[in-house]
Amino acid sequence: MRVRTKGLRVLGALVTVGALLLAAGCGSGDPDATPSAGSSSDAPEGADLVGGDWLLRFTVESGGEGELTAAVYVAYNPSTGTATARRLPTALNPDTYSDGVAVLVSGDQKVALQDTGVPRSQGRQGRLTVYSTTTDAKRVVDVRALTGRPDLIAVGAAFDPKEPEVLRVVDTERAVWRLDLVAGTGARDGSLPRHRGWIFANGFDKNTGLPYIEDTDSEATLPAGNGIGDVRPVQRRGGEIRVDDGTEKPGEPATPCGFSGGFVAEDGTTWLFCADTARISAYRLLKGGTTWEPVGKASPPIVPGSAVELPVVLPPV
């Protein structure tokens, strides 16, 4: 059973796949195991998204109550069926959950954070680690060097989704810093307000990457609309990430799978990535369409067996 044990959404009963298979640099799937190929030449909408690498983030949980969480990023090309997987280190009781984890991925989709909460051992040293989404590479960012603050202690961080590799970091003094990892620069980007009874709990707006504070006596946030009550879709590059929770969506045909995630492109085409088995399969539904069309080839066996969510699906950059 794939069951979402915490966060905002609960996945229905789903087929459990095999053991965790993370084959970096895998080839295309077996022809007999793939859905019917949809030629990009006969698809009037969304054809430019067939041949690129989509980035899927699977959330995997372990521990008696799912308190140990890790991210597995899969880069999957529906046209060829090729896929690579990258598992990030496990986080204990992370601060980021459900579709809010979208801010953990850089705008160019090349690197990711483990969590919005900076690990204490890193923060006290004024450092922060970012991880490649496609290889085993990682990079230690010297936050103190980029900001020019030798005593800075970082507590929270998130990516700006509209910039290639721009991070916003909040320190213990509630100062906000903007770090450009490509340019190797850092600058002050304001401060979080201080109000009695309000805290910064490593929360960042899932659509802007801007930090916010929370009221300890309610679910209110400043700016408003964030936090646990935030039901806004995650918007990226003119489209929206689709999070499936096992319920049917009005006006749509039944989906071809139970465990899936997707993306609604700017032209209205809905892309769906099925992960009921160890192989990822792609489908699309044209705007106003009545049938899910299988696209390209299935991936090799690469879906994590302990996956409980597919909260982030990002189109090719």
Side-chain angles (χ1 to χ4, degrees), residues 196-199 213-222:
R196 178 173 295 182
W198 291 71
I199 62 172
I213 58 175
E214 305 174 45
D215 183 7
T216 57
D217 293 328
S218 70
E219 296 181 359
T221 63
L222 187 64

Side-chain angles (χ1 to χ4, degrees), residues 186-252:
R188 184 71 175 266
D189 198 30
S191 300
L192 291 176
R194 293 181 180 273
H195 301 302
R196 178 173 295 182
W198 291 71
I199 62 172
F200 172 63
N202 302 325
F204 293 82
D205 187 300
K206 61 188 179 184
N207 285 327
T208 65
L210 294 173
Y212 60 85
I213 58 175
E214 305 174 45
D215 183 7
T216 57
D217 293 328
S218 70
E219 296 181 359
T221 63
L222 187 64
N226 290 284
I228 196 169
D230 185 1
V231 296
R232 297 171 300 159
V234 177
Q235 299 176 339
R236 292 293 185 273
R237 291 196 296 282
E240 296 180 352
I241 293 177
R242 170 191 172 113
V243 177
D244 288 327
D245 58 5
T247 60
E248 293 186 5
K249 297 187 183 296
E252 278 190 4

Side-chain angles (χ1 to χ4, degrees), residues 274-301:
C274 293
D276 280 340
T277 72
R279 299 174 185 270
I280 301 169
S281 298
Y283 295 82
R284 66 184 168 196
L285 177 68
L286 299 183
K287 184 177 181 180
T290 58
T291 304
W292 288 99
E293 171 196 356
V295 179
K297 301 177 180 180
S299 75

Side-chain angles (χ1 to χ4, degrees), residues 27-265:
S28 60
D30 297 334
D32 292 340
T34 63
S36 301
S39 171
S40 59
S41 62
D42 61 10
E45 297 181 87
D48 58 324
L49 301 180
V50 176
D53 288 338
W54 288 77
L55 186 67
L56 284 61
R57 182 203 196 271
F58 290 92
T59 301
V60 298
E61 291 182 349
S62 57
E65 297 181 357
E67 68 275 13
L68 301 175
T69 301
V72 176
Y73 287 95
V74 174
Y76 166 54
N77 187 314
S79 177
T80 62
T82 56
T84 60
R86 167 66 154 121
R87 179 173 178 140
L88 269 57
T90 300
L92 175 63
N93 294 319
D95 293 309
T96 323
Y97 52 86
S98 194
D99 55 6
V101 298
V103 295
L104 301 180
V105 184
S106 62
D108 59 11
Q109 299 173 195
K110 293 182 178 180
V111 293
L113 293 165
Q114 182 184 21
D115 187 31
T116 54
V118 178
R120 185 172 298 181
S121 59
Q122 296 180 31
R124 287 178 173 175
Q125 298 177 34
R127 298 178 182 275
L128 179 63
T129 301
V130 297
Y131 303 86
S132 168
T133 56
T134 56
T135 73
D136 290 335
K138 65 180 180 180
R139 175 185 173 188
V140 177
V141 179
D142 191 335
V143 179
R144 290 176 176 175
L146 293 181
T147 60
R149 292 290 301 273
D151 57 345
L152 183 146
I153 298 177
V155 294
F159 281 104
D160 184 327
K162 295 184 179 180
E163 300 289 341
E165 291 182 28
V166 170
L167 274 170
R168 282 189 176 81
V169 174
V170 179
D171 66 22
T172 50
E173 301 301 316
R174 293 200 182 185
V176 181
W177 302 88
R178 184 183 187 276
L179 308 183
D180 189 324
L181 305 187
V182 176
T185 59
R188 184 71 175 266
D189 198 30
S191 300
L192 291 176
R194 293 181 180 273
H195 301 302
R196 178 173 295 182
W198 291 71
I199 62 172
F200 172 63
N202 302 325
F204 293 82
D205 187 300
K206 61 188 179 184
N207 285 327
T208 65
L210 294 173
Y212 60 85
I213 58 175
E214 305 174 45
D215 183 7
T216 57
D217 293 328
S218 70
E219 296 181 359
T221 63
L222 187 64
N226 290 284
I228 196 169
D230 185 1
V231 296
R232 297 171 300 159
V234 177
Q235 299 176 339
R236 292 293 185 273
R237 291 196 296 282
E240 296 180 352
I241 293 177
R242 170 191 172 113
V243 177
D244 288 327
D245 58 5
T247 60
E248 293 186 5
K249 297 187 183 296
E252 278 190 4
T255 59
C257 52
F259 183 37
S260 61
F263 187 82
V264 182

